[in-house]
């Protein structure tokens, strides 16, 4: 499991830590790092409360989550947050890997990853389940 995490965490972390996040999330109406973080990470759940996000993420101080939510949903809909997150992914991966974004091998890898997602159990994995049913970009 650790090997998989080491290889894939960089792709996951992009949506929180790439330089593109600051501009894209601000344009979506999200104010500051933590509002962008919690809104874009939890958006697949809908405009849920800070309590739901705290329970789903389980490793953040409840007060930190409460400072970001529900204020984020007054500034930005979950749908807009999801679109902003995809924009960050697109911009940052194009910056980092260039033409490989549109390469046939990348498309094949994405199709295999999608198959793995579809085959993975969702029980007890609320956030994964919410993201797994989103349309494939």
């Amino acid at each position: 499991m650790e090997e998989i995490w080491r290889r894939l965490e960089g792709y996951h972390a992009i949506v929180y830590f790439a330089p593109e996040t600051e501009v894209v999330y601000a344009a979506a109406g999200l104010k500051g790092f933590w509002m962008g973080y919690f809104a874009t990470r939890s958006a697949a759940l809908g405009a849920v409360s800070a309590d739901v996000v705290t329970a789903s993420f389980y490793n953040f101080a409840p007060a930190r989550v409460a400072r970001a939510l529900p204020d984020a949903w007054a500034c930005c809909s979950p749908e807009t947050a999801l679109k902003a997150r995809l924009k960050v992914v697109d911009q940052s991966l194009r910056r980092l890997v260039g033409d490989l974004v549109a390469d046939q091998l990348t498309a094949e890898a994405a199709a295999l990853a999608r198959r793995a997602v579809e085959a993975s159990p969702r029980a007890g994995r609320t956030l994964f389940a919410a993201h797994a049913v989103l349309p494939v970009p």
Side-chain angles (χ1 to χ4, degrees):
M1 231 19 173
E2 186 177 326
E3 181 66 22
I4 292 171
W5 180 86
R6 218 178 6 260
R7 290 178 183 264
L8 298 178
E9 176 62 13
Y11 291 101
H12 169 254
I14 282 174
V15 298
Y16 312 118
F17 304 114
E20 291 83 356
T21 61
E22 187 175 348
V23 171
V24 173
Y25 294 169
L30 299 167
K31 302 168 188 158
F33 174 82
W34 288 110
M35 186 180 280
Y37 179 91
F38 290 118
T40 60
R41 187 170 179 195
S42 67
L45 298 168
V48 296
S49 70
D51 286 342
V52 171
V53 171
T54 299
S56 297
F57 292 9
Y58 73 84
N59 60 338
F60 288 95
R64 179 171 301 281
V65 181
R67 280 193 297 274
L69 301 173
D71 290 350
W73 306 134
C75 304
C76 175
S77 70
E79 294 78 19
T80 299
L82 288 169
K83 287 178 186 172
R85 186 177 67 186
L86 287 176
K87 186 173 184 176
V88 165
V89 170
D90 184 62
Q91 289 179 0
S92 59
L93 285 179
R94 287 180 189 284
R95 175 176 52 81
L96 293 168
V97 300
D99 292 341
L100 285 176
V101 168
D103 189 86
Q104 179 59 34
L105 290 175
T106 303
E108 289 177 33
L112 289 171
R114 186 67 193 174
R115 285 180 51 201
V117 166
E118 290 167 354
S120 296
R122 289 161 173 72
R125 296 176 173 98
T126 305
L127 193 58
F128 169 68
H131 283 92
V133 298
L134 291 175
V136 177

